[in-house]
Amino acid sequence: MPANPIKPTIPLDADGKHHGFLRLPYSRDDSAWGSIMIPLTVIRNGEGPTALLTGANHGDEYEGPLALFDLAYTLEAADITGRVIIVPAFNFPAFKAATRVSPIDQRNLNRAFPGKPDGTVTEKIADYFNRTLVPMADIVLDFHSGGKTLDFVPFACAHVLDDKAQEKRCVEAVRAFNAPFTLMLLEIDNVGMYDTAVEDQGKVFVTTELGGGGTATGTSVAIAKKGVRNVLIHAGIMKGEMETGPTVMLDMPGDDCFTFSQNDGLFEPWVNLGDPVEAGDMLARIWPTERTGEPPVDYHASRSGIVVSRHFPGLIKSGDCLAVIAVPQGDGAGG
């Protein structure tokens, strides 16, 4: 396999605190020998575990970048033992454009793994992380939120894994993050995901959904900042005491946790995030928009639980995820 063209402008294994970039050569109309400069901070203090911290895997999700730009500014080498690799804007082209996917190649970074060193820009980023940065890490934290099209209750989550010892380590790290909700997440499609690539390498992996709507709030950013420091302390990298509070444990036992729209129209939510629902309860109503006097289409919960996600913009299309219901742990059959 050819070498990846991405090169760090700072050392990845030197003691101290270093700010720089992952430089990806990118020849284009306005810069024949141009580069994409992905911001990077590496902090190291002697031997110890390595944490790889990423935000903006999707470019319209902001809690991760806010927490990680702050961490890169405030964290010092004397605060840690080991190494912290911080990439606040993982998918930098999408982050700059405030879009979910890259405006350069229209690829979703979180479906581009394991990537290709000679592929598109997004595939090159995925390959560099998969073959260079992830193998260095003991623990990986990748921040997500709902972007412009979804909104979530703030949760950290782990996945059900075949390796139960690895799953246990992931769950312990997710609990340490200590979001208001802690979830065993069922993915609609995990093919090509960063999550899957990291877990396939046997690493401890933590991910989140901390809000949405294409913005951040003071509350969601505070959760992200607290969570990343808790994870670093849990991993034995950062000194100090974890800041903890109550968390609601949730599970997603099956595909009926998801409700998808089969209509285009105007989205009227009937429940709020965090609300409990019973199977059959009304979740939302979709109004046709081409003329007045037409009846709406009602959507109902397929199972009982808590509403953890909902469609965000006012208009919805057929195929869009309308709502997600999770089950308080112990009430479902999941892990």
Side-chain angles (χ1 to χ4, degrees):
M1 185 174 291
N4 192 291
I6 295 176
K7 303 294 183 186
T9 65
I10 56 174
L12 300 179
D13 56 0
D15 277 354
K17 182 175 182 177
H18 307 273
H19 301 294
F21 303 92
L22 296 172
R23 187 180 70 83
L24 169 56
Y26 175 51
S27 179
R28 55 192 188 271
D29 285 342
D30 65 342
S31 185
W33 282 5
S35 300
I36 296 169
M37 306 292 279
I38 303 171
L40 168 71
T41 292
V42 179
I43 307 169
R44 185 177 184 273
N45 184 15
E47 298 299 322
T50 292
L52 174 59
L53 312 174
T54 51
N57 188 325
H58 298 125
D60 60 351
E61 302 173 3
Y62 297 106
E63 284 80 3
L66 285 165
L68 294 181
F69 276 115
D70 177 81
L71 187 71
Y73 179 70
T74 59
L75 188 65
E76 300 296 338
D79 300 328
I80 68 168
T81 300
R83 178 172 54 178
V84 181
I85 301 172
I86 305 172
V87 187
F90 189 4
N91 190 349
F92 194 63
F95 176 71
K96 291 288 285 185
T99 56
R100 179 175 177 82
V101 304
S102 174
I104 296 172
D105 56 16
Q106 300 303 310
R107 290 297 306 274
N108 178 347
L109 178 58
N110 209 31
R111 296 296 186 278
F113 282 81
K116 298 178 182 178
D118 54 355
T120 69
V121 163
T122 301
E123 289 171 333
K124 289 174 181 175
I125 294 171
D127 175 77
Y128 183 79
F129 274 76
N130 191 58
R131 289 202 291 152
T132 301
L133 294 185
V134 172
M136 296 179 179
D138 298 285
I139 187 167
V140 178
L141 168 58
D142 186 41
F143 280 103
H144 285 265
S145 56
K148 295 175 182 176
T149 65
L150 290 171
D151 200 6
F152 288 90
V153 298
F155 63 76
C157 54
H159 301 105
V160 176
L161 303 175
D162 292 336
D163 184 335
K164 292 305 174 185
Q166 181 189 5
E167 179 185 309
K168 182 175 183 291
R169 294 192 299 271
C170 293
V171 170
E172 288 170 349
V174 167
R175 287 177 179 267
F177 187 98
N178 195 232
F181 294 86
T182 299
L183 179 65
M184 294 302 294
L185 181 61
L186 174 68
E187 299 287 357
I188 297 173
D189 174 20
N190 66 358
V191 176
M193 289 187 71
Y194 182 50
D195 313 39
T196 305
V198 173
E199 290 162 349
D200 283 349
Q201 293 191 37
K203 309 297 182 177
V204 174
F205 183 74
V206 178
T207 189
T208 70
E209 298 289 356
L210 295 179
T215 188
T217 67
T219 298
S220 63
V221 174
I223 293 167
K225 289 181 177 180
K226 182 191 84 169
V228 67
R229 290 178 178 273
N230 278 355
V231 167
L232 291 177
I233 294 168
H234 169 78
I237 296 171
M238 188 173 175
K239 302 165 186 175
E241 297 293 327
M242 286 192 287
E243 180 185 347
T244 60
T247 186
V248 178
M249 300 299 300
L250 299 171
D251 191 17
M252 294 179 66
D255 290 343
D256 61 351
C257 292
F258 296 91
T259 301
F260 294 94
S261 175
Q262 299 182 30
N263 303 87
D264 295 353
L266 182 62
F267 177 71
E268 180 185 359
W270 274 56
V271 291
N272 295 314
L273 289 175
D275 282 354
V277 293
E278 299 294 329
D281 284 355
M282 179 86 100
L283 290 177
R285 173 170 280 178
I286 298 178
W287 290 90
T289 57
E290 299 304 313
R291 60 183 299 155
T292 58
E294 296 292 325
V297 179
D298 294 341
Y299 284 79
H300 299 87
S302 297
R303 66 176 308 126
S304 301
I306 294 173
V307 179
V308 295
S309 179
R310 50 148 286 197
H311 181 75
F312 186 77
L315 297 177
I316 194 168
K317 296 179 181 179
S318 177
D320 287 348
C321 183
L322 183 150
V324 179
I325 296 170
V327 180
Q329 201 165 57
D331 292 351

